[in-house]
Amino acid sequence: MANWNEYSLGQLLSYEQPTPYVVSSTKYSDTYETPVLTAGKGFILGYTNEVNGIYDKLPVIIFDDFTTASQYVNFKFKVKSSAMKILTANTELVLPEFIFYRMQIIEFDASTHKRYWIQHYSKIKVKIPPTISEQERIVARIDDLFSQLNASVAELKEAKKRLGVYRQAVLKEAFDLCPEEKALSSVCIHITDGDHMPPPKSKTGIPFIMISNIHHNRINWSNTANVDRKYYANIDEKRRPQNGDVLYTVTGSFGIPVLVDYNKLFCFQRHIALLRPNKSITQKFLYYAMQDPRVYSQAVKKATGTAQKTVGLSVLRELRIPFIEAIEVQKKIVSKIEAHIFVCDSIEKTVDTALQQAEALRQSILKKAFEGGL
């Protein structure tokens, strides 16, 4: 790296405002030709049939002006909004793909909601090899390593998908033993949702759970909002979760049950429902029954809405779940499910760890590349 030259990003990349390329209609279809892009993780939001304002001076980097996320693009496109910059490389100095990879390891605090490129990000200095041929060699090496890594990641994701299929098969087989179905309302004391008014959030107090806090059928307590005790005290008792309840997401990512098998004060938003089982059904039997693919299928068919599908409480109460009257048999079915799910969960944790390690390795490859180590 001794002979590498230092430039600001603004010297290596010129920017263009995306306004002429913003899509007019968000009625996307996979049958249309032109992708609509965002610089964030979503990347391709959909496809449009609009023929005007298509960007075609390729390749470019699209840069989210608020988050600093970026994507390398080598195909014609339109964009979702004007909250980005379209960056074109000065090819006399730098290979477009080289500077894109270099941008992926820049550490930058984008926590303040403002535009960053002109005043801040473009002033960041980076070192690059003096010849395009050396940059090409480094990019080729990165591409080769990433190709191998991507193949491994694809295998891991496929394994995770198969685990999901297996989990569904376990549930179906277990509940095939049940001789009848019952409406959810007939096995619950309460079926309700959270308060419909926006809560007065505070820095401390009682945790307030949103759908974004629910992952893998569990609540992530690390980043919850909070409400004061006065707000919590005014919530109807049947809307306060207690040990023995089951929560169930009903909007957007609906159909995810969560066991409340602990004593903890918290409340939740209206996009989550609370199921309080009566004496005819055990908590865990209800929890697993709500994951039966046939129950989820009912919810999908009866969900309403366009932007975000919602399972209304009236629909939720009428969902038919597998049922068997004998509590001891319910417990045996749960034990059978958990024996298989335990193994499945253990494998899934291993896969998730491997996926995290793959992402860390991706960053390590880039860091090594731009330290002259490839």
Side-chain angles (χ1 to χ4, degrees), residues 3 10 25 27 36 63 71 77 111 119 132 166 169 173 192 206 233 257 271 281 285 307 310 318 322 326 332 355 362:
N3 63 337
S25 171
K27 292 182 178 179
V36 180
F63 176 88
Q71 299 280 358
F77 64 92
S111 58
Q119 294 299 322
I132 295 297
Y166 174 72
E173 182 181 344
T192 187
I206 307 296
H271 300 317
I281 192 168
F285 188 92
T310 298
E318 295 307 311
K332 287 180 181 179
L355 286 170
R362 194 181 304 276

Side-chain angles (χ1 to χ4, degrees), residues 170-180 282 284-286 288-289 292 294 322-341:
V170 167
L171 291 166
K172 184 179 182 301
E173 182 181 344
F175 288 119
D176 278 344
L177 300 173
C178 296
E180 60 179 314
T282 68
K284 281 195 172 182
F285 188 92
L286 174 61
Y288 286 116
D292 186 324
R294 290 161 292 196
F323 184 78
I324 190 165
E325 188 172 351
I327 293 294
E328 287 306 312
V329 178
Q330 290 183 23
K331 291 179 179 178
K332 287 180 181 179
I333 290 174
V334 166
S335 294
K336 181 178 179 181
I337 291 170
E338 291 187 335
H340 291 86
I341 294 295

Side-chain angles (χ1 to χ4, degrees), residues 264-281:
K264 184 179 179 71
L265 297 183
F266 70 98
C267 50
F268 56 95
Q269 69 176 162
R270 65 186 178 91
H271 300 317
I272 300 170
L274 181 149
L275 317 178
R276 184 161 295 162
N278 60 30
K279 293 182 179 180
S280 71
I281 192 168

Side-chain angles (χ1 to χ4, degrees), residues 158-231:
E158 183 59 33
K160 193 167 181 177
K161 189 184 298 184
R162 289 196 298 269
L163 287 170
V165 173
Y166 174 72
R167 184 180 279 106
Q168 294 297 297
V170 167
L171 291 166
K172 184 179 182 301
E173 182 181 344
F175 288 119
D176 278 344
L177 300 173
C178 296
E180 60 179 314
E181 292 180 344
K182 279 199 171 186
L184 188 59
S185 59
S186 69
V187 297
C188 291
I189 303 169
H190 298 308
I191 298 177
T192 187
D193 56 8
D195 197 334
H196 286 226
M197 295 298 292
K201 296 176 184 176
S202 62
K203 292 183 178 180
T204 60
I206 307 296
F208 180 84
I209 304 304
M210 296 179 282
I211 283 185
S212 58
N213 298 120
I214 294 177
H215 302 283
H216 303 295
N217 302 94
R218 293 179 177 84
I219 295 173
N220 177 6
W221 300 98
S222 64
N223 60 344
T224 64
N226 297 287
V227 297
D228 58 39
R229 287 184 173 271
K230 184 177 179 181
Y231 172 86

Side-chain angles (χ1 to χ4, degrees), residues 66-324:
F66 290 99
T67 68
T68 73
S70 58
Q71 299 280 358
Y72 181 81
V73 187
N74 58 2
F75 50 82
K76 297 177 182 179
F77 64 92
K78 288 182 73 72
V79 300
K80 173 64 170 63
S81 76
S82 60
M84 66 168 68
K85 295 285 190 290
I86 298 175
L87 307 179
T88 303
N90 178 349
T91 52
E92 291 184 1
L93 295 176
V94 70
L95 198 67
E97 203 170 0
F98 182 94
I99 193 59
F100 168 74
Y101 279 140
R102 178 63 183 86
M103 289 169 66
Q104 303 317 297
I105 59 169
I106 290 174
E107 295 182 0
F108 187 86
D109 181 6
S111 58
T112 304
H113 188 71
K114 62 180 180 181
R115 293 181 181 270
Y116 288 106
W117 176 258
I118 295 175
Q119 294 299 322
H120 303 282
Y121 209 88
S122 64
K123 294 179 171 59
I124 294 173
K125 294 186 180 298
V126 296
K127 288 186 175 182
I128 62 171
T131 64
I132 295 297
S133 60
E134 176 62 6
Q135 293 176 30
E136 288 175 336
R137 185 194 68 78
I138 292 171
V139 166
R141 183 60 178 146
I142 292 172
D143 285 343
D144 181 51
L145 292 172
F146 275 14
S147 177
Q148 297 174 43
L149 187 59
N150 290 339
S152 298
V153 167
E155 290 178 5
L156 288 168
K157 288 182 176 179
E158 183 59 33
K160 193 167 181 177
K161 189 184 298 184
R162 289 196 298 269
L163 287 170
V165 173
Y166 174 72
R167 184 180 279 106
Q168 294 297 297
V170 167
L171 291 166
K172 184 179 182 301
E173 182 181 344
F175 288 119
D176 278 344
L177 300 173
C178 296
E180 60 179 314
E181 292 180 344
K182 279 199 171 186
L184 188 59
S185 59
S186 69
V187 297
C188 291
I189 303 169
H190 298 308
I191 298 177
T192 187
D193 56 8
D195 197 334
H196 286 226
M197 295 298 292
K201 296 176 184 176
S202 62
K203 292 183 178 180
T204 60
I206 307 296
F208 180 84
I209 304 304
M210 296 179 282
I211 283 185
S212 58
N213 298 120
I214 294 177
H215 302 283
H216 303 295
N217 302 94
R218 293 179 177 84
I219 295 173
N220 177 6
W221 300 98
S222 64
N223 60 344
T224 64
N226 297 287
V227 297
D228 58 39
R229 287 184 173 271
K230 184 177 179 181
Y231 172 86
Y232 178 80
N234 287 328
I235 298 174
D236 190 295
E237 183 275 334
K238 67 183 180 182
R239 282 182 161 145
R240 295 185 207 166
Q242 63 186 39
N243 194 337
D245 291 341
V246 174
L247 302 182
Y248 189 77
T249 60
V250 293
T251 299
S253 300
F254 67 80
I256 304 173
V258 177
L259 272 179
V260 183
D261 53 357
Y262 41 80
N263 295 308
K264 184 179 179 71
L265 297 183
F266 70 98
C267 50
F268 56 95
Q269 69 176 162
R270 65 186 178 91
H271 300 317
I272 300 170
L274 181 149
L275 317 178
R276 184 161 295 162
N278 60 30
K279 293 182 179 180
S280 71
I281 192 168
T282 68
Q283 180 198 29
K284 281 195 172 182
F285 188 92
L286 174 61
Y287 168 72
Y288 286 116
M290 295 305 294
Q291 296 179 61
D292 186 324
R294 290 161 292 196
V295 175
Y296 180 74
S297 178
Q298 293 175 61
V300 170
K301 289 177 182 177
K302 296 182 179 181
T304 58
T306 51
Q308 278 196 318
K309 292 289 186 180
T310 298
V311 179
L313 289 182
S314 59
V315 169
L316 187 60
R317 293 184 179 109
E318 295 307 311
L319 291 182
R320 309 287 296 180
I321 69 167
F323 184 78
I324 190 165

